Amino acid sequence: MNRVLILLASATLALAGCATAPVTDPTALQISDGEVENYWTPTAELVSTKLDLSALQGRSGQMREMAHTVEVTYIIGSDGKIHDSRVLSTIPASASGQWALAGLSAASYEPAPGNTARLPVRLTHTITLGAPPAAN
Protein backbone atom coordinates (compact mmCIF):
# COMPACT_ATOMS: atom_id res chain seq x y z
CA MET A 1 0.00 0.00 0.00
CA ASN A 2 1.53 3.34 -0.91
CA ARG A 3 2.39 6.18 1.48
CA VAL A 4 -0.31 8.51 0.11
CA LEU A 5 -3.03 5.94 0.81
CA ILE A 6 -1.69 5.46 4.34
CA LEU A 7 -1.77 9.22 4.97
CA LEU A 8 -5.27 9.45 3.55
CA ALA A 9 -6.49 6.59 5.73
CA SER A 10 -4.93 8.14 8.84
CA ALA A 11 -6.46 11.54 8.17
CA THR A 12 -9.85 9.94 7.47
CA LEU A 13 -9.70 8.15 10.81
CA ALA A 14 -8.87 11.36 12.60
CA LEU A 15 -11.72 13.22 10.96
CA ALA A 16 -14.10 10.34 11.66
CA GLY A 17 -13.57 10.94 15.33
CA CYS A 18 -11.33 8.12 16.41
CA ALA A 19 -9.22 9.29 19.31
CA THR A 20 -7.34 7.88 22.25
CA ALA A 21 -6.39 8.80 25.79
CA PRO A 22 -4.37 7.00 28.45
CA VAL A 23 -5.58 3.43 28.84
CA THR A 24 -3.73 3.40 32.16
CA ASP A 25 -5.68 6.42 33.52
CA PRO A 26 -7.45 5.07 36.63
CA THR A 27 -10.03 7.89 36.49
CA ALA A 28 -11.21 6.99 32.98
CA LEU A 29 -14.75 5.70 32.82
CA GLN A 30 -15.04 2.41 30.89
CA ILE A 31 -17.72 2.84 28.23
CA SER A 32 -18.94 0.94 25.20
CA ASP A 33 -18.09 2.17 21.73
CA GLY A 34 -21.68 3.35 21.18
CA GLU A 35 -21.64 5.59 24.27
CA VAL A 36 -18.76 7.85 23.27
CA GLU A 37 -21.05 10.55 21.81
CA ASN A 38 -22.58 11.00 25.28
CA TYR A 39 -19.20 12.18 26.56
CA TRP A 40 -17.08 13.46 23.66
CA THR A 41 -17.60 14.91 20.18
CA PRO A 42 -14.87 14.75 17.53
CA THR A 43 -13.50 18.09 16.40
CA ALA A 44 -12.60 18.91 12.82
CA GLU A 45 -9.21 20.08 14.05
CA LEU A 46 -6.32 17.67 13.80
CA VAL A 47 -3.89 17.60 16.72
CA SER A 48 -1.11 16.85 14.29
CA THR A 49 -1.07 17.25 10.54
CA LYS A 50 2.16 15.26 10.29
CA LEU A 51 1.66 11.60 11.09
CA ASP A 52 4.57 9.40 12.14
CA LEU A 53 4.42 6.37 9.86
CA SER A 54 7.86 4.99 10.75
CA ALA A 55 6.22 2.13 12.68
CA LEU A 56 4.82 0.84 9.38
CA GLN A 57 8.29 0.07 8.05
CA GLY A 58 9.97 -3.24 8.72
CA ARG A 59 13.65 -3.62 9.54
CA SER A 60 14.48 -3.75 5.83
CA GLY A 61 12.85 -0.37 5.26
CA GLN A 62 10.00 -1.92 3.26
CA MET A 63 6.42 -1.14 4.24
CA ARG A 64 4.85 -3.91 6.33
CA GLU A 65 1.58 -5.54 5.34
CA MET A 66 -1.25 -3.47 6.79
CA ALA A 67 -4.22 -5.06 8.53
CA HIS A 68 -7.58 -4.21 7.02
CA THR A 69 -9.32 -4.49 10.41
CA VAL A 70 -7.78 -3.31 13.68
CA GLU A 71 -9.25 -3.50 17.18
CA VAL A 72 -7.83 -0.74 19.38
CA THR A 73 -8.32 0.41 22.95
CA TYR A 74 -7.71 3.99 24.03
CA ILE A 75 -8.68 6.79 26.37
CA ILE A 76 -10.09 10.16 25.45
CA GLY A 77 -8.52 12.28 28.18
CA SER A 78 -9.93 15.30 29.95
CA ASP A 79 -7.91 17.37 27.45
CA GLY A 80 -9.89 15.86 24.54
CA LYS A 81 -6.82 14.09 23.16
CA ILE A 82 -6.11 10.41 22.62
CA HIS A 83 -3.78 8.76 25.11
CA ASP A 84 -2.30 5.29 25.62
CA SER A 85 -3.77 3.74 22.50
CA ARG A 86 -2.97 0.07 21.90
CA VAL A 87 -3.70 -2.45 19.18
CA LEU A 88 -5.58 -5.44 20.60
CA SER A 89 -5.95 -7.48 17.42
CA THR A 90 -5.61 -7.28 13.65
CA ILE A 91 -7.02 -9.07 10.62
CA PRO A 92 -4.99 -10.65 9.21
CA ALA A 93 -3.31 -11.45 12.52
CA SER A 94 0.23 -11.16 11.10
CA ALA A 95 -0.33 -7.67 9.63
CA SER A 96 0.45 -4.29 11.19
CA GLY A 97 -2.26 -2.24 12.87
CA GLN A 98 0.00 0.77 13.39
CA TRP A 99 -1.87 2.80 10.77
CA ALA A 100 -4.87 2.88 13.12
CA LEU A 101 -2.76 4.25 15.97
CA ALA A 102 -1.27 6.88 13.65
CA GLY A 103 -4.78 8.05 12.75
CA LEU A 104 -5.91 8.08 16.36
CA SER A 105 -2.93 10.17 17.41
CA ALA A 106 -4.05 12.97 15.08
CA ALA A 107 -7.62 13.21 16.41
CA SER A 108 -9.08 15.49 19.08
CA TYR A 109 -12.42 15.79 20.88
CA GLU A 110 -14.48 18.38 22.69
CA PRO A 111 -16.79 17.52 25.58
CA ALA A 112 -20.39 16.69 24.72
CA PRO A 113 -22.98 19.05 26.28
CA GLY A 114 -23.59 16.62 29.17
CA ASN A 115 -19.89 16.18 29.97
CA THR A 116 -19.14 19.52 31.64
CA ALA A 117 -16.75 17.75 34.04
CA ARG A 118 -14.70 16.57 31.01
CA LEU A 119 -14.68 12.97 32.22
CA PRO A 120 -11.99 10.86 30.55
CA VAL A 121 -13.35 7.68 28.97
CA ARG A 122 -11.80 4.38 27.97
CA LEU A 123 -13.19 2.39 25.06
CA THR A 124 -12.44 -0.32 22.56
CA HIS A 125 -13.12 0.34 18.90
CA THR A 126 -12.76 -1.65 15.67
CA ILE A 127 -11.48 0.29 12.66
CA THR A 128 -11.67 -1.04 9.11
CA LEU A 129 -9.59 0.29 6.23
CA GLY A 130 -11.38 -0.35 2.95
CA ALA A 131 -12.85 -3.69 2.03
CA PRO A 132 -11.20 -6.91 3.22
CA PRO A 133 -9.16 -8.70 0.58
CA ALA A 134 -11.01 -11.27 -1.49
CA ALA A 135 -10.64 -14.88 -0.39
CA ASN A 136 -8.70 -17.12 -2.75
Side-chain angles (χ1 to χ4, degrees):
M1 193 168 275
N2 70 34
R3 191 172 181 88
V4 173
L5 185 55
I6 293 168
L7 288 171
L8 179 61
S10 297
T12 301
L13 284 173
L15 293 174
C18 296
T20 61
V23 173
T24 58
D25 183 347
T27 65
L29 178 65
Q30 180 72 45
I31 63 170
S32 69
D33 190 27
E35 295 176 291
V36 70
E37 66 274 359
N38 297 327
Y39 297 93
W40 294 94
T41 304
T43 65
E45 174 184 329
L46 295 176
V47 172
S48 171
T49 56
K50 193 167 197 171
L51 300 174
D52 179 14
L53 300 176
S54 60
L56 297 176
Q57 292 181 329
R59 289 194 174 119
S60 68
Q62 294 292 323
M63 295 300 280
R64 295 174 53 195
E65 176 189 9
M66 290 182 13
H68 62 78
T69 302
V70 182
E71 183 180 35
V72 294
T73 185
Y74 57 92
I75 294 172
I76 301 173
S78 58
D79 59 359
K81 296 178 182 159
I82 302 301
H83 302 275
D84 293 335
S85 57
R86 294 184 287 144
V87 171
L88 298 177
S89 64
T90 62
I91 299 174
S94 62
S96 173
Q98 293 302 309
W99 63 265
L101 298 181
L104 287 172
S105 70
S108 66
Y109 287 81
E110 60 186 32
N115 188 10
T116 56
R118 301 180 68 91
L119 293 171
V121 296
R122 177 178 315 155
L123 63 145
T124 300
H125 183 72
T126 301
I127 304 167
T128 302
L129 177 64
N136 293 332

